[in-house]
Amino acid sequence: MLKTRVWRVDAARPDPSAIREAAEVLRGGGLVAFPTETVYGLGADAYNASAVRRIFEVKGRPPDNPLIVHISRLEQLEELASSLPPAAEELARAFWPGPLTIVVPRSPRVPDEVTASLPKVAVRMPAHKVALALIEELGSPIAAPSANLSGRPSPTSAEHVLRDLGGRVEGILDAGDTLYGVESTIVDLTSEPPVLLRPGALPLERIEHVLGVKVSVPEFARGLREAEVALAPGMRYRHYAPRAAMVVVESSDYGDLARVARTVARLALEEVRRGRRVCVLCTDETLGYYSEAAAEGVGLKSLGTREDPFTIARNLFRRLREVDDEGYEFVVAEGVEERGLGLAIMNRLRKASGFNIIRV
Ligand code: AMP
Ligand code: MG
């Protein structure tokens, strides 16, 4: 067991001495978890192969699941990539720093451990003062996946990181809750048209608007099935998942929420009557439909309001962790419309359920 140091820092004006100490840990080959605007990352010096290997050990992450490299200045993109497609520069200019990861051809300088030996590398410039200050202080890019145990919901607070990785990593920079609560959007720019590998905090529509082309959206990016390893490494495991069994109830018409709620309530009641501890993940708009279920002991949690999917994205992983902490055995979740942030929300819910989807 390691002693995990926690540096509490201000998200807007991080204490330079904490950043210096954390960068020193990274320089020595150690691991530091740090906040970004999406979720907390578990960082290692991207050019230190043995430090990067430790990320996989500590998370229990399959070695064929590559890491995103985080940068603080554009020159670092040029140093990581062997060539840059024009779309890379357009997207970097439009969205960095921000919740977009681009996949580009990789330079030989990047260790195999980072890319799982793929010929391409995933790069992003995060929009968070703490993350940027840490990369600047280290003076080189930081490889970082989400700072959770592999398979668990991604961490949106330092407490989540401590719960999963306390005693296993050298330090955590704690700057409170993250802004978006879902991971970055990943687009692969090594093919034409570009391919969405993972929907995330940056809506796909905004990327397409800047590029002036449609991005290809494979079924696995919608969370409808598992990916083939060659297409999207690391996208083929049950992920983001609570320990509880889970089902997602989807609709082609969320204008008719009563219809969705009727099915959710029926499934929840069936399970609670079998003696299982059941929780419904609903939205502010549908809370009122579940009074009968609640009276029979079904737990209710709202993810946020459908009027503002940002709130739903932001609460999602926290709610999935609460479900486990509170001992629920079965979760019934309502779907949301697959537009804007809704694409990322549905990807996470479907994967969390192990693709257990019911359509009404
Ligand atoms: P995480 O940060 O844990 O959400 O994981 C990062 C994700 O980025 C991985 O699961 C991969 O699917 C994706 N990724 C990272 N590097 C690459 C790459 N070189 N090629 C394709 N996808 C990548
Ligand atoms: Mg992850």
Side-chain angles (χ1 to χ4, degrees), residues 162-287:
L162 258 180
R163 287 283 292 273
D164 279 16
L165 303 178
R168 299 175 189 237
V169 301
E170 279 78 8
I172 303 175
L173 282 159
D174 175 359
D177 288 353
T178 61
L179 177 63
Y180 290 104
V182 289
E183 300 88 341
S184 60
T185 302
I186 308 179
V187 275
D188 188 339
L189 303 179
T190 65
S191 47
E192 286 271 2
V195 181
L196 180 72
L197 295 183
R198 175 177 76 189
L202 182 69
L204 180 64
E205 294 86 341
R206 295 194 52 201
I207 297 170
E208 294 182 326
H209 182 77
V210 164
L211 293 180
V213 295
K214 281 276 170 198
V215 170
S216 143
V217 181
E219 286 212 320
F220 68 78
R222 296 175 58 207
L224 288 174
R225 61 176 181 82
E226 296 179 87
E228 289 153 42
V229 66
L231 285 175
M235 297 281 169
R236 59 190 204 296
Y237 315 100
R238 188 173 181 220
H239 220 125
Y240 315 117
R243 279 180 282 270
M246 180 166 162
V247 59
V248 187
V249 178
E250 301 188 5
S251 171
S252 51
D253 175 18
Y254 289 103
D256 187 0
L257 287 173
R259 187 183 158 87
V260 176
R262 259 196 311 277
T263 302
V264 170
R266 178 175 55 74
L267 293 168
L269 280 167
E270 269 169 32
E271 292 299 321
V272 92
R273 285 169 187 159
R274 288 195 183 117
R276 291 175 96 184
R277 300 205 51 193
V278 181
C279 183
V280 165
L281 291 179
C282 61
T283 48
D284 294 353
E285 287 75 9
T286 50
L287 271 168

Side-chain angles (χ1 to χ4, degrees), residues 269 272 290-300:
L269 280 167
V272 92
Y290 300 111
S291 35
E292 187 199 346
E296 290 203 37
V298 171
L300 283 184

Side-chain angles (χ1 to χ4, degrees), residues 8-30:
R8 282 216 103 263
V9 290
D10 190 295
R13 290 184 55 230
D15 173 9
S17 68
I19 298 293
R20 265 196 306 275
E21 287 171 17
E24 201 46 50
V25 170
L26 293 174
R27 211 167 281 124

